[in-house]
Amino acid sequence: MADTLKPIRIESWNELATSFLTLSPVDLACRGQALYYDRMLPRVDRCLNVPSLSGRLRLERAICQRFREHAPIYLSDVERLYLQTRWLQLIVMQHYGAPTRLLDWTKSPWVAAFFAVSGGWEQDGYVYIFRRDRLEHDVPLLDEEANMADLVWGPHHTDRTFSDTKWDHAKANDKLLDERIVEGFSEWVTTYYCREAHFPRLIAQQGLFTFASKPNVDHWKAISRLGKEYCWIFEIAGSAKPGILRGLNVIGLNGATLFPGADGIGRSMEGFARAWHLIPRPSQF
């Protein structure tokens, strides 16, 4: 495995629970992956293989524009509020599976574990965790002279204020789609937490995101530079996935609760089926 951090091996629900309970619950960002990938890239980087920066960002802007043209009639009132800026729009696009520069994370390691064990049944899953407060502390130091001043990242210190339009709308982040600005950035990754009204899945999954300064930056490679004091990798054995699904279900985490709606109930059925044989029951049942 290419990561410099040594993964913590998990073979059972009890091992997972014990390991997670040793973590401080404050300022964590967690991501679950059912399989291992060599690079941690957002979907737009995986599907747009364009060599030039200007061409790559032009196509990304085109994707945003097309979504804005076709999607609003199908969106809820809350979701339509996110169309105020191109940056906020990315969150709705991400929600509906469009390719964006955002990468999904959660504040909860338990939610991340669900995604790590929901698929790739014969292979190991992974939970990546880092201290987002530490990452956000370092971001301004990376590009002090390159238009960083008004960018929005993290759950910022202005969260102490009930409402701040600059941070809620994140309009300044639209410049991250402008090649004249982006070409001057070094490579960095930071978190983004949306403070606009949340829709049900964002609430249920305790969602937040990471984004990079420019295309094709490996998010975990950039984050893991923080070192083992602030970053952790949990490697979950494929054989342990059904048992961990069952344990998560006991504490109320399953497809139905994390994906509110009929599709979420349907999604929960595979986990139910795979974990069913582990449930003790009378022989006549």
Side-chain angles (χ1 to χ4, degrees), residues 1 172 234 260 275:
M1 187 172 183
F234 294 90

Side-chain angles (χ1 to χ4, degrees), residues 39-52:
R39 303 181 70 199
M40 189 182 287
L41 298 173
R43 189 174 299 161
V44 73
D45 287 340
R46 299 196 299 268
C47 75
L48 290 183
N49 185 19
V50 181
S52 74

Side-chain angles (χ1 to χ4, degrees), residues 60-113:
E60 189 174 353
R61 292 194 299 268
I63 291 170
C64 291
Q65 181 59 37
R66 179 157 294 204
F67 185 89
R68 195 181 186 91
E69 291 170 0
H70 294 278
I73 192 171
Y74 302 107
L75 300 179
S76 69
D77 290 342
V78 168
E79 290 166 341
R80 278 194 292 272
L81 290 174
Y82 281 65
L83 304 185
Q84 296 172 92
T85 66
R86 185 182 280 146
W87 188 258
L88 279 183
Q89 176 184 320
L90 294 179
I91 295 174
V92 182
M93 292 173 64
Q94 183 83 352
H95 174 64
Y96 286 107
T100 81
R101 63 174 50 216
L102 302 179
L103 196 65
D104 290 310
W105 296 74
T106 171
K107 296 178 181 179
S108 168
W110 309 99
V111 172

Side-chain angles (χ1 to χ4, degrees), residues 8-22 110 234-237 240 244:
I8 300 167
R9 181 73 174 175
I10 301 296
E11 301 279 358
S12 69
W13 163 252
N14 286 340
E15 288 184 9
L16 183 78
T18 300
S19 296
F20 280 2
L21 289 173
T22 64
W110 309 99
F234 294 90
E235 180 185 59
I236 300 174
I244 291 174

Side-chain angles (χ1 to χ4, degrees), residues 5 8 20 23-33 40 103-109 112 126-139 153-155 188-193 207-212 218-234:
L5 297 172
I8 300 167
F20 280 2
L23 296 172
S24 168
V26 178
D27 289 323
L28 295 180
C30 314
R31 176 175 172 82
Q33 296 183 172
M40 189 182 287
L103 196 65
D104 290 310
W105 296 74
T106 171
K107 296 178 181 179
S108 168
Y126 295 84
V127 175
Y128 298 85
I129 300 176
F130 68 93
R131 282 279 300 274
R132 55 188 169 86
D133 58 332
R134 184 63 201 178
L135 185 69
E136 291 153 18
H137 177 270
D138 290 347
V139 170
W153 68 88
W188 47 259
V189 169
T190 191
T191 56
Y192 177 63
Y193 176 76
L208 69 156
F209 310 93
T210 54
F211 68 91
D218 184 330
H219 285 218
W220 185 250
K221 182 178 180 181
I223 291 166
S224 62
R225 292 170 187 158
L226 294 173
K228 61 183 180 180
E229 186 178 354
Y230 302 107
C231 302
W232 302 268
I233 305 171
F234 294 90

